[in-house]
Amino acid sequence: MAGHVFGRSSAAMPTAVSGEGCYIRDAEGRSYLDGSGGAAVSCLGHSDQDVRAAIHDQLDRIAFAHTGFFTSEAAEGLADLLIANAPEGIEKVYLLSGGSEAVEAAIKLARQYFLETGEPERHRVIARRQSYHGNTLGALAAGGNAWRREKYAPLLVETSHIAPCYEYRLREDGESAEDYGLRAANELEDEIARLGPETVMAFIAEPVVGATAGAVPAVRGYFKRIREICDRHGILLILDEVMCGMGRTGTLFACEQDGISPDIVTVAKGLGAGYMPIGAMLCSGRIFGAIEGGSGSFQHGHTYHGHPLAAAAGHAVLSAILGRELLPQVRHRGQALTDRLQATFGQHPHVGDIRGRGLFRGVELVADRGTKAPFDPELKLHAKVKKAALAEGLICYPAGGTIDGKHGDHILLAPPFIISEDQIGELTDKLSRAIDAALAA
């Protein structure tokens, strides 16, 4: 054992020592193009001067003040900026240290809301298969990824899971995209009826599914129907934008492109851009009002939530995204990335689907394009792609179990918003060589 860090696995990792722009350099002097922003985190790249300056400035003022006693100018400023740009009806921000914490807070808030409003029988959560909402027990229970849940199943609260909106795999021949979206959304109606509407408190979904399925967007009309169903039954709609939010898909909140507003929305990753650990749970004024006019407090909290240093970093990141006109750039560069991926892999015999929005793109690998048959899971193709990509000097985010938690392989791409068109070419060329190397291994 080389050191005392309990890592994600026993595999040896290169040691990152510096970062600049879209690149990370290791202790051996090798440079890696960060084609996935880590896990869709580093939206501004590495060593952004404005974010670094904001952190230093806040550190010189105050680094920590416990939210049981104080608020801070940094937390208030970030909350104001988020709400000024949030979906309609969203009025309050609960700052946390990451995405899993944000989802835990969202689920607990949904439960307390119904206690405050006199519907204590509402406690059930409905989610979707092949979703991912975090690794803490509540968030993991909400998530629908079989592989991530398997070891901890006895500890998880029972959650219902309906089919995802996964056009490549689940849209039927001859079925229009609109009809498919309505069919998929109506599974929620059926599940509510099965459970009893009076027992259901929330439906949670990612507007664009990230880690478990590889940048899968819903078809047009799907989320509008979901919103209608939730409203009809008095159920809260929680949108998990931890990975797809904060500009990653080309709008600050991914749900803007679906034309809806949630009751609760979670963000993280791109909010801090990797400079500080931060996440947020945002809720409607209606939900906050029920708490404020009822017990008066949300029975939840963490030592480091609302951390001033993290909030200052988040404010600087969000200000950069908005002030530097990076959202139009994400849309433009996202189209350039798609065009390059289509040119490189559009006729590749083992690339079944290229999908996503903005700078959030997925490439699904298949053994047979015609039948969409996946590779044998025992091959661990995604792991081979990751290893080959690192050898090429590319960081990407391959994963397995795309279809059902066991079968299927995909590669998630989420480069920094500042990526150049030349670097998009570099990313695609390196990925092409990595995929070919993995297939030949």
Side-chain angles (χ1 to χ4, degrees), residues 31 50 66 136 180 261 265 336 341 369 393:
S31 183
D50 290 346
H66 195 283
T136 50
Y180 165 60
S261 292
V265 58
L341 289 170
R369 278 171 62 102

Side-chain angles (χ1 to χ4, degrees), residues 187-205:
E187 281 204 28
L188 175 59
E189 186 90 71
D190 295 340
E191 185 63 9
I192 291 168
R194 187 185 74 83
L195 295 172
E198 71 283 355
T199 70
V200 180
M201 70 178 187
F203 175 67
I204 183 170

Side-chain angles (χ1 to χ4, degrees), residues 91-426:
E91 297 180 11
K92 293 291 180 177
V93 178
Y94 196 89
L95 295 174
L96 297 137
S97 298
S100 295
E101 283 189 13
V103 171
E104 290 281 333
I107 293 170
K108 290 176 75 173
L109 180 62
R111 172 59 179 163
Q112 187 171 338
Y113 169 75
F114 285 112
L115 291 175
E116 303 275 4
T117 56
E119 296 187 79
E121 66 278 7
R122 288 192 185 262
H123 65 283
R124 299 186 186 276
V125 174
I126 303 174
R128 302 188 298 182
R129 295 188 291 276
Q130 285 308 93
S131 59
Y132 178 61
H133 299 297
N135 255 333
T136 50
L137 289 175
L140 190 63
N145 182 260
W147 175 77
R148 286 175 168 85
R149 292 167 53 90
E150 182 181 19
K151 288 183 174 63
Y152 308 104
L155 307 179
L156 302 181
V157 174
E158 181 182 353
T159 304
S160 297
H161 293 94
I162 63 173
C165 190
Y166 187 179
E167 185 179 14
Y168 174 65
R169 289 282 173 186
L170 300 179
R171 178 178 164 188
E172 295 176 355
D173 291 342
E175 186 176 34
S176 71
E178 182 179 20
D179 286 346
Y180 165 60
L182 291 175
R183 177 169 64 84
N186 284 335
E187 281 204 28
L188 175 59
E189 186 90 71
D190 295 340
E191 185 63 9
I192 291 168
R194 187 185 74 83
L195 295 172
E198 71 283 355
T199 70
V200 180
M201 70 178 187
F203 175 67
I204 183 170
E206 301 161 90
V208 182
V209 181
T212 58
V216 177
V219 298
R220 187 178 301 277
Y222 171 84
F223 273 109
K224 284 195 173 182
R225 177 64 179 146
I226 290 290
R227 178 74 271 183
E228 290 172 0
I229 293 168
C230 288
D231 288 344
R232 178 182 302 126
H233 296 290
I235 293 164
L236 299 180
L237 175 58
I238 302 172
L239 292 183
D240 178 354
E241 297 204 5
V242 166
M243 186 171 264
C244 64
M246 295 294 95
R248 174 56 60 189
T249 64
T251 50
L252 191 63
F253 290 86
C255 63
E256 295 174 43
Q257 296 173 53
D258 296 291
I260 63 161
S261 292
D263 299 295
I264 302 173
V265 58
T266 60
V267 296
K269 296 187 186 293
L271 178 59
Y275 290 90
M276 288 293 292
I278 187 169
M281 182 271 289
L282 293 77
C283 74
S284 68
R286 175 172 63 97
I287 293 174
F288 179 80
I291 306 294
E292 185 180 42
S295 65
S297 64
F298 179 27
Q299 192 176 322
H300 182 66
H302 295 274
T303 298
Y304 286 112
H305 93 245
H307 194 278
L309 206 58
H315 190 281
V317 170
L318 188 54
S319 296
I321 292 170
L322 298 171
R324 298 179 196 169
E325 295 293 317
L326 289 180
L327 295 176
Q329 181 162 305
V330 169
R331 295 191 289 270
H332 175 73
R333 294 283 192 267
Q335 187 59 55
L337 176 57
T338 296
D339 291 346
R340 191 66 182 253
L341 289 170
Q342 289 288 356
T344 305
F345 299 112
Q347 300 304 313
H348 194 289
H350 297 297
V351 172
D353 193 30
I354 298 168
R355 54 184 176 246
R357 295 178 185 169
L359 283 171
F360 198 46
R361 299 288 165 174
V363 176
E364 184 165 341
L365 302 175
V366 291
D368 186 291
R369 278 171 62 102
T371 64
K372 302 182 184 178
F375 284 94
D376 184 342
E378 295 301 317
L379 295 174
K380 298 189 184 303
L381 182 61
H382 58 281
K384 293 178 180 178
V385 171
K386 181 179 180 180
K387 182 178 180 180
L390 282 172
E392 288 286 344
L394 173 67
I395 299 167
C396 59
Y397 193 168
T402 310
I403 302 168
D404 56 9
K406 181 178 180 181
H407 300 90
D409 300 272
H410 69 265
I411 300 149
L412 184 65
L413 300 172
F417 300 171
I418 61 171
I419 193 170
S420 70
E421 297 212 13
D422 285 346
Q423 289 167 335
I424 286 172
E426 179 188 347

Side-chain angles (χ1 to χ4, degrees), residues 3-92:
H4 298 288
V5 171
F6 195 149
R8 288 175 177 252
S9 74
S10 58
M13 297 281 187
T15 300
V17 295
S18 65
E20 184 66 37
C22 294
Y23 296 89
I24 291 177
R25 185 174 292 274
D26 71 16
E28 304 300 318
R30 296 199 68 212
S31 183
Y32 304 83
L33 175 62
D34 193 355
S36 61
V41 175
S42 299
C43 60
L44 297 183
H46 306 275
S47 297
D48 186 275
Q49 294 299 315
D50 290 346
V51 181
R52 292 172 63 194
I55 293 170
H56 283 291
D57 180 66
Q58 184 63 43
L59 186 59
D60 288 341
R61 296 168 184 267
I62 186 168
F64 172 71
H66 195 283
T67 51
F69 304 94
F70 297 98
T71 185
S72 68
E73 291 178 348
E76 297 289 341
L78 175 55
D80 288 347
L81 188 56
L82 279 166
I83 294 303
N85 294 278
E88 183 179 358
I90 298 294
E91 297 180 11
K92 293 291 180 177

